[in-house]
Amino acid sequence: MATYSRITGTGSYLPPQRLTNADLAIRLAATGVETSDEWIVERTGIHARHFAAPDVSCSDLGFEAAKNALQAAGLQASDIDLIIVATSTPDMVFPSAACILQSKLGIAGCPAFDIQAVCSGFVYALTVADAMIKTGAASKALVIGTEVFSRILDFSDRATCVLFGDGAGAVVLEASDTPGILASDLHADGKHVGILCVPGHVSGGKVIGDPLLKMDGQAVFKLAVGVLESAARAALAKANMTDQDIDWLIPHQANIRIMQSTAKKLKLPLEKLIVTVDQHGNTSAASIPLALDTSVRSGKIKKGDTLMLEGVGGGFTWGAVLLNY
Ligand code: UT7
């Protein structure tokens, strides 16, 4: 049985349609919704986001990211024995996006399932894959975060529709004799369900309630800043490490102000903070693997670096994964 699991390949994918803040402001103005590049950049750090074409699904984006991760790991899809997809915007109510993606990869037989922890989905999925590898239930896992949040945005609500985008990120996690994932720390507190939710559901052939995203931005902001620090500290303590051992902090890419505040609380210089939110907005469960892959491919993150991945989002859910890349 393997003692550890380790990331051996990363991949990501953004759909081709890119909207700058100015593009989005023009589009929203046509329906009487006012916003500006200045407001969006100042409050969030976001400059642009990508939107998938109407016929492109969550599993399509995840498939592209997964292919890139497999290539980076030097593996074929047929080598994979576990698929976990983190998403809140799956193709269908069921089956899972993971099963659909498995079929797109041309493989069958291995377990495939979705994890629903909204923007914390990727750190939840990585933790579950790590645990399954450590018990011997799997040896080569694809862990994917993929979202089409554009489908659940209320474009009449300027406080939320400017924040989110579509995209996917993936990693191959393999059994290893040397340490990869060092510690993780996951949490949820369901009493905060109302501050970030899509309250609609399907019943009797109809959508009941509102199927668009609702968020109390300030409440989410306040909670996020506190829990991101505590989860990182808990993961460090489990690994007998300190904040000074972190080479790169990769928080959920939602808002530059939350990310910078987390770095400050962990006493990390801003040079150690990985930032890609400017280029794709908040892509929920896809944001961490997107940021990871971008930084690996740019040469910023190198083999052996110590990474702190952190997610926070609807549920309320939050968590951290500390790893040797
Ligand atoms: O993935 C889940 C994690 N989610 C998050 O991390 C989101 C956390 N929250 C946030 O990032 C911030 O709370 C927001 C970016 C959502 C909002 O920033 P804020 O600094 O909390 O702004 P606010 O909600 O207090 O709004 C300030 C003003 C308001 O106008 P008044 O009432 O002061 O006149 C809003 O109506 O900004 C106005 N406003 C906008 N103006 C231009 C809100 N949205 C916009 C907009 N363009 N898009």
Side-chain angles (χ1 to χ4, degrees), residues 256-275:
I256 189 76
R257 292 186 290 147
I258 297 176
M259 294 159 63
Q260 288 177 342
S261 145
T262 306
K264 233 182 249 169
K265 288 184 172 201
L266 294 174
K267 299 189 181 62
L268 294 176
L270 292 184
E271 298 75 61
K272 290 191 173 189
L273 177 65
I274 298 289
V275 178

Side-chain angles (χ1 to χ4, degrees), residues 25-133:
I26 291 168
R27 191 184 273 202
L28 293 176
T31 57
V33 176
E34 228 181 277
T35 190
S36 65
D37 175 55
E38 194 190 4
W39 190 94
I40 301 170
V41 171
E42 189 190 309
R43 304 289 176 129
T44 71
I46 297 166
H47 289 260
R49 74 285 295 137
H50 291 244
F51 285 161
D55 60 341
V56 170
S57 68
C58 153
S59 68
D60 289 327
L61 301 184
F63 174 56
E64 297 300 329
K67 280 194 296 187
N68 292 336
L70 283 169
Q71 193 179 34
L75 295 181
Q76 305 293 318
S78 54
D79 296 321
I80 293 300
D81 58 11
L82 170 67
I83 300 173
I84 307 182
V85 171
T87 189
S88 301
T89 48
D91 302 27
M92 302 180 186
V93 171
F94 70 79
S96 66
C99 286
I100 299 169
L101 204 151
Q102 181 196 47
S103 141
K104 287 179 179 165
L105 285 168
I107 57 175
C110 72
F113 58 91
D114 288 359
I115 278 187
Q116 216 307 20
V118 201
C119 304
S120 310
F122 187 75
V123 292
Y124 266 65
L126 203 55
T127 302
V128 171
D130 172 54
M132 288 182 72
I133 286 175

Side-chain angles (χ1 to χ4, degrees), residues 34-35 39 43-44 119 158-159 162-163 196 215 217-218 220-221 252 254-255 257-258 282:
E34 228 181 277
T35 190
W39 190 94
R43 304 289 176 129
T44 71
C119 304
R158 67 179 182 172
V162 303
L163 305 176
L196 179 49
M215 180 169 75
Q218 288 187 358
V220 171
F221 196 107
H252 169 44
N255 183 317
R257 292 186 290 147
I258 297 176
N282 184 344

